[in-house]
Amino acid sequence: MLMEAATLTLAGGPEDRAAFDSGGLRWVVDPRKSAPGLDALLLHAHSLGASRIDFQTGQPVWLRIHGRNERVGRDSLDEVELADITNHMYGADGLARLQGGGSINVRYEIGLSRTARVRFRVNGVPVETNRGVGVNLILRPIPDLPPSLEQQLVEPEIMESFEITKGMVIVSGATGSGKSTLIAGMTIAKLENPDAHYNIVEAGAPLEFRLDRSRNTSSTIAQSEVPRDFRTFGIFIEECMRREPTDIIVGECRNVETMEASIQAAISGHALTTTIHAKDVPSTMDRIVYLTSPGERQNALKCVLESMRLVINQRLVRSTDGKRTALREFLIFDSDIRDRLRRATPEEWTRVTKHAVEDQGQSFRAAIEKALKAGRISEKTAAHELREIE
C-alpha cells in the first residue's frame, strides 16, 4: 500500500500544522526486514514528541502529543495493512496470535546508525470493529536516556531518600504516568555517583531505557527483559539472589508471585525498587495487601513494614508550556509510620497512610498548590486536578 501525504494537526491552531509525506513508501515491503513507510511515520511521530501511536483496523493513525490526540491524515488502515504491520513487528504468526485471543508485547527498533536507534514498546490486542474482528497496535516511544532528576523537578525530600542501602522503594501511578522515567532517573543518579559502588540488576517488560550507556565510573548495571530473558519477574528475582547485587529493579509488581518475591528480596539486605498501578500513596498500600496471598499475608505484610522506605505516586498533567509536568504525592517511611501501621489491621492501612501523608509527607493537594505557585500549571488545570482528588 502506498502511503499518501498526510497532514498532522498540532495543538495551537492551523499555523502549527506539520505535513508528513511518506514519498510513496509502502508500509511494509518485506516483513521482519523492511518497512520503509512504517519507519518513516514512526520517526516523524517521534520527532514531534508523540507519547503514543495508535494503529487500528478501519481507522487512521492517531498520535498523542503532550496529552492531546492528533490524527495523521484521513485514510483508514485495512485488514491487510494491519496484518503486514503486525507480522513485521512480531513475526510471521503475529496476526494468528491475536486472532487466537492472545496479545503481543514486544520492542520495535529503528536503526539510524551503528550506535543510534529509536525504540518503541508495542502492545497489540484483538478488537471488535464494524468490519468484524480487527487489530489495535499501540506503540510508545522509549527514550534513549531519561531526563535527570533535576530536569524532572524531583522534590528535595525524594532526592535525599531514594538512595537506600536496603529495603523497598515503590513508585506507583497509572499507565503512562512516568513511573519508569522516574526510576531510570534515580538509577542514572546512582550510576553517575563516583563513590557509590553499586551493582544494579534490572528486569523490565520491556526495558524502558538502556542504562549501560551512562557515565558509570564505580558502579555496574545489568538489564534483562521479561519474558525474553527471564520467563517471569519471579524467576528474575530468584536468580538475583545468586548474583550479589546491591540494588534490584523490578519493572512492575503485577501479581502475587512478583510481589512476594520482591518483599523477600527487600528483607534480604538488598535495595529493591518497583512499580505498582495505584492512584495515590494510600491505595498503593492497599494494593500491596491485595498482592499477597491470603495464606502468607500476615508474614508478608510484616516484612513489608520492616522493608518499606519510600512510596511515590506520580501523575502527569498539562503544563503552562503546552507539555506535561509531574505532580507527586509521597511518603518517607520512618520508624514512627511503620509502628503506626504495625498497630493497625491491613484493612486500616489506607486510612493510616492517608493521615501520614498529610502529616509527614506530601499530598497531591500540596503538590498541586506548589505547581500552581511556581507557574508550572494553570489555575484551570489546578482546579481540575483538585476535583480529581476529592
Side-chain angles (χ1 to χ4, degrees), residues 125-355:
V125 297
V127 293
E128 294 292 327
T129 74
N130 58 12
R131 303 184 184 189
V133 177
V135 171
N136 184 209
L137 298 175
I138 301 297
L139 279 73
R140 297 169 61 195
I142 304 173
D144 191 31
L145 286 174
S148 68
L149 296 181
E150 291 79 8
Q151 290 171 323
Q152 295 186 54
L153 304 177
V154 173
E155 289 81 353
E157 298 92 335
I158 295 176
M159 298 280 275
E160 295 170 1
S161 304
F162 77 89
E163 289 197 68
I164 61 175
T165 57
K166 59 182 178 180
M168 183 179 291
V169 172
I170 293 180
V171 178
S172 61
T175 300
S177 60
K179 299 185 298 295
S180 297
T181 301
L182 179 56
I183 290 176
M186 293 175 178
T187 307
I188 288 288
K190 292 179 179 180
L191 291 171
E192 294 185 350
N193 182 344
D195 301 316
H197 299 278
Y198 292 109
N199 296 117
I200 304 171
V201 291
E202 177 182 11
L207 287 170
E208 295 276 351
F209 301 92
R210 293 295 180 86
L211 301 182
D212 57 351
R213 297 179 59 188
S214 65
R215 300 187 302 274
N216 43 328
T217 57
S218 71
S219 299
T220 67
I221 184 166
Q223 296 175 284
S224 304
E225 285 202 350
V226 173
R228 187 174 66 179
D229 301 317
F230 291 95
R231 187 165 53 84
T232 67
F233 282 115
I235 295 174
F236 161 74
I237 296 171
E238 180 180 341
E239 291 301 319
C240 285
M241 299 298 99
R242 304 182 176 98
R243 300 170 67 185
E244 198 179 352
T246 60
D247 293 61
I248 300 170
I249 303 173
V250 176
E252 181 185 349
C253 276
R254 65 181 70 172
N255 54 41
V256 171
E257 177 199 18
T258 306
M259 185 75 254
E260 293 186 344
S262 297
I263 294 169
Q264 289 303 311
I267 65 171
S268 299
H270 304 88
L272 184 133
T273 304
T274 189
T275 70
I276 287 178
H277 282 90
K279 68 176 183 177
D280 53 28
V281 170
S283 63
T284 300
M285 299 304 293
D286 187 56
R287 181 70 175 158
I288 292 172
V289 174
Y290 175 79
L291 286 172
T292 55
S293 57
E296 299 293 329
R297 183 161 296 164
Q298 184 175 358
N299 182 58
L301 296 184
K302 179 181 178 181
C303 294
V304 168
L305 294 182
E306 292 177 4
S307 62
M308 191 64 67
R309 296 295 181 268
L310 173 65
V311 176
I312 307 165
N313 189 271
Q314 177 168 289
R315 60 184 66 179
L316 298 178
V317 303
R318 179 163 292 276
S319 53
T320 49
D321 62 2
K323 298 180 180 181
R324 292 192 294 174
T325 188
L327 299 177
R328 300 183 187 92
E329 178 174 277
F330 61 84
L331 180 63
I332 300 163
F333 282 70
D334 58 16
S335 58
D336 174 65
I337 292 173
R338 287 195 289 271
D339 285 342
R340 280 197 270 172
L341 288 168
R342 196 174 289 114
R343 292 193 297 269
T345 66
E347 292 75 19
E348 295 174 317
W349 276 18
T350 301
R351 175 183 57 80
V352 173
T353 305
K354 182 177 181 180
H355 288 309

Side-chain angles (χ1 to χ4, degrees), residues 97-119:
R97 180 180 178 87
L98 296 182
Q99 290 176 333
S103 62
I104 290 174
N105 288 283
V106 294
R107 185 180 70 244
Y108 184 71
E109 297 185 351
I110 302 173
L112 303 179
S113 67
R114 291 183 62 184
T115 58
R117 311 185 74 79
V118 176
R119 301 181 301 129

Side-chain angles (χ1 to χ4, degrees), residues 16 61 166 177 330 369 377:
D16 290 328
V61 179
K166 59 182 178 180
S177 60
F330 61 84
E369 292 172 353
I377 62 175

